[in-house]
Amino acid sequence: MKKSLVALAIAAISAPTLGAGFQLNSQSATGIGRAFSGDAVIADNASVLSRNPAAMALFNEAAFSGGITYADLAIDIKDVNYMGPLGPIDIGGTSDAGEGKVIPNIFYIQPLNDKVAVGFGAFSNFGTGTDSGNLDLTNAVLPTGDVYAPFDLLGNTEVTTINLNASVSYRINNHLSLGAGIDAIYGEGKLDRFAGETPLVAVEADGWGFGGIIGATWEFNERHRIGASYRFSPDMKVTGDINTISPAMIPGVGLANVATSFDELEVPLADIFQVAGFHQLTDRFALHYTAQFTQWGNFEQITALDGNGIIIDGPAAGTEIPVGDVALKEYLWDDSWLFSVGGTYNLSDRWTLRAGYMFDQGVVNEISSISIPDSDRNWYTAGIGFNITPKSTIDLGIAYVQGKEVDLVEESAIVGPVNATTESGAVYYSVQYSHRF
């Protein structure tokens, strides 16, 4: 079948899940406050197991941490234009294409003895909401009354993911600790693309994938340590109602609109490697940092599995045709790096101040998308902690995320090349409660 972007728009159900346009960093308020610098080894609360299971060996008592983050996503789409039958058509843009996300997290670590600790966590690494379907199409109305617009590229996408983790750590000696964990990742999403009242794409799907994480920490002494972890990500398969209407060239019939349904989408996820350091330089001030590599280079395409099609117009209407597996869209993303640095200052026995900066490298290379705005991003963060008791703490974190403006061209199956300018950013607000027993 013709690789129409009407059908390819299904890919957006998975792409935001992977965080290609916007990867969520939201596992704790303490992490947000310091731009997640050193988060794989600081171990000031139980959320460390989301980054490095080996760091659980740093706990000598049971620990609980739970919080909530609100990600106020800001996605601007500007100057959307293309060539129409009678000349250029400009349908403007929207400054409200991003939808906010509420992201909870919860963690628990239990040392079993002076060598072994176990931990459990629930958090989210990916998720977003975008809506590019509210552009002004006044200029896209032809004298015939038909609307000539890239409906296949414009619409609503909503994705939520949950990562359930169980981990164990083992202390080898006073310096070295190792850890490993299992990830069960659940994702669900909805997507629609409409041409007027006609649903070109209607997707409601969910699924599970299983991966894992291994990690290590090295303690030079009680004031200096480093940690590293590697997260193995699965090839996700999501199932549900996955339906499209798209044009196809049918042998013996010619060009016809085909309604196609698929049983599954297969999505390769990226592995993540990170190294972090923590250094208590004075009794009050600590410096920490992180370098993270995400293997987005293996995300080449999304494949729809076991498709079935029915011709819906013309003399062959009602005829069933085989579709099988279809490579819906190529992405050819780049591997990416993330670098962050931050500081923690203990103002008093009760108050702690944090700040950090992070550079987050975009993954989109030659193939860009209106529905997946992506660029290099700068994070500017701050946080504060208050010790309610010697063992209970409330932490607040805030992050301002600034993306770059990107000019792009995306191919529409309806109107051809579409030009646009996109910019993505966010503000994260987070609160966390932590307790040691």
Side-chain angles (χ1 to χ4, degrees):
M1 295 183 64
K2 181 182 178 182
K3 289 187 177 181
S4 164
L5 286 195
V6 176
L8 301 188
I10 297 177
I13 191 71
S14 299
T17 307
L18 304 179
F22 213 93
Q23 182 173 350
L24 295 176
N25 283 291
S26 57
Q27 291 77 22
S28 69
T30 47
I32 287 177
R34 56 181 171 245
F36 295 96
S37 58
D39 245 36
V41 76
I42 292 180
D44 50 356
N45 60 56
S47 67
V48 71
L49 73 85
S50 69
R51 301 275 178 160
N52 183 6
M56 295 190 302
L58 300 171
F59 290 76
N60 56 20
E61 55 191 350
F64 165 85
S65 186
I68 191 168
T69 297
Y70 178 72
D72 185 9
L73 306 183
I75 300 176
D76 293 341
I77 302 173
K78 299 182 288 186
D79 301 327
V80 182
N81 64 88
Y82 48 93
M83 183 61 65
L86 303 178
I89 296 176
D90 190 336
I91 57 174
T94 176
S95 60
D96 192 25
E99 297 180 4
K101 302 290 291 186
V102 176
I103 312 154
N105 63 76
I106 188 169
F107 306 93
Y108 180 75
I109 293 174
Q110 177 65 61
L112 302 182
N113 51 47
D114 59 355
K115 292 286 189 180
V116 180
V118 295
F120 306 92
F123 51 94
S124 179
N125 285 323
F126 309 104
T128 191
T130 59
D131 186 357
S132 58
N134 56 354
L135 300 181
D136 184 2
L137 301 181
T138 303
N139 293 333
V141 179
L142 302 179
T144 60
D146 297 324
V147 180
Y148 191 75
F151 295 111
D152 51 332
L153 306 185
L154 308 176
N156 182 68
T157 302
E158 178 68 24
V159 175
T160 302
T161 66
I162 301 172
N163 190 329
L164 304 178
N165 174 273
S167 295
V168 60
S169 67
Y170 183 79
R171 178 174 286 281
I172 304 296
N173 52 43
N174 289 336
H175 299 287
L176 178 64
S177 300
L178 303 177
I182 297 174
D183 290 325
I185 305 167
Y186 173 75
E188 65 177 5
K190 298 179 181 180
L191 177 141
D192 59 64
R193 299 289 186 266
F194 281 85
E197 299 297 324
T198 302
L200 301 179
V201 179
V203 176
E204 188 169 349
D206 63 358
W208 286 89
F210 295 90
I213 184 172
I214 58 174
T217 63
W218 180 267
E219 300 170 68
F220 298 97
N221 52 51
E222 63 180 9
R223 299 173 72 93
H224 301 275
R225 55 186 179 268
I226 59 174
S229 68
Y230 191 96
R231 172 160 264 126
F232 302 89
S233 297
D235 285 354
M236 290 281 293
K237 288 187 177 180
V238 296
T239 61
D241 296 325
I242 304 168
N243 304 292
T244 69
I245 297 175
S246 62
M249 187 64 67
I250 311 299
V253 176
L255 186 63
N257 288 313
V258 178
T260 306
S261 62
F262 297 94
D263 291 336
E264 292 182 314
L265 294 178
E266 185 177 62
V267 186
L269 299 185
D271 291 354
I272 302 172
F273 171 73
Q274 62 180 306
V275 177
F278 172 82
H279 305 281
Q280 190 72 46
L281 301 181
T282 71
D283 290 340
R284 292 187 178 272
F285 179 74
L287 176 71
H288 27 82
Y289 48 86
T290 289
Q292 177 178 294
F293 174 79
T294 306
Q295 195 179 14
W296 284 119
N298 68 352
F299 187 70
E300 297 181 350
Q301 65 185 33
I302 289 177
T303 305
L305 307 177
D306 300 325
N308 295 293
I310 299 177
I311 299 175
I312 60 175
D313 58 8
T319 302
E320 296 185 5
I321 59 174
V323 177
D325 296 350
V326 176
L328 289 182
K329 187 174 183 179
E330 287 187 328
Y331 285 94
L332 304 180
W333 287 339
D334 286 338
D335 295 335
S336 65
W337 282 95
L338 174 156
F339 301 98
S340 66
V341 62
T344 298
Y345 185 78
N346 295 317
L347 189 63
S348 66
D349 290 339
R350 290 215 158 187
W351 293 97
T352 301
L353 305 179
R354 303 178 183 91
Y357 167 78
M358 179 164 67
F359 173 76
D360 186 9
Q361 188 178 36
V363 298
V364 172
N365 189 5
E366 295 180 0
I367 302 177
S368 54
S369 171
I370 294 174
S371 62
I372 313 173
D374 187 77
S375 70
D376 295 344
R377 291 176 289 271
N378 295 293
W379 292 59
Y380 307 94
T381 74
I384 189 170
F386 177 71
N387 295 325
I388 304 171
T389 71
K391 291 192 174 185
S392 297
T393 305
I394 287 285
D395 293 287
L396 302 175
I398 186 171
Y400 173 68
V401 186
Q402 184 180 42
K404 293 183 178 180
E405 198 171 77
V406 176
D407 296 323
L408 61 87
V409 180
E410 185 174 9
E411 189 72 22
S412 165
I414 299 174
V415 305
V418 177
N419 304 292
T421 299
T422 63
E423 185 176 5
S424 61
V427 179
Y428 284 67
Y429 307 91
S430 187
V431 60
Q432 196 91 9
Y433 172 75
S434 301
H435 183 80
R436 297 202 183 200
F437 299 91

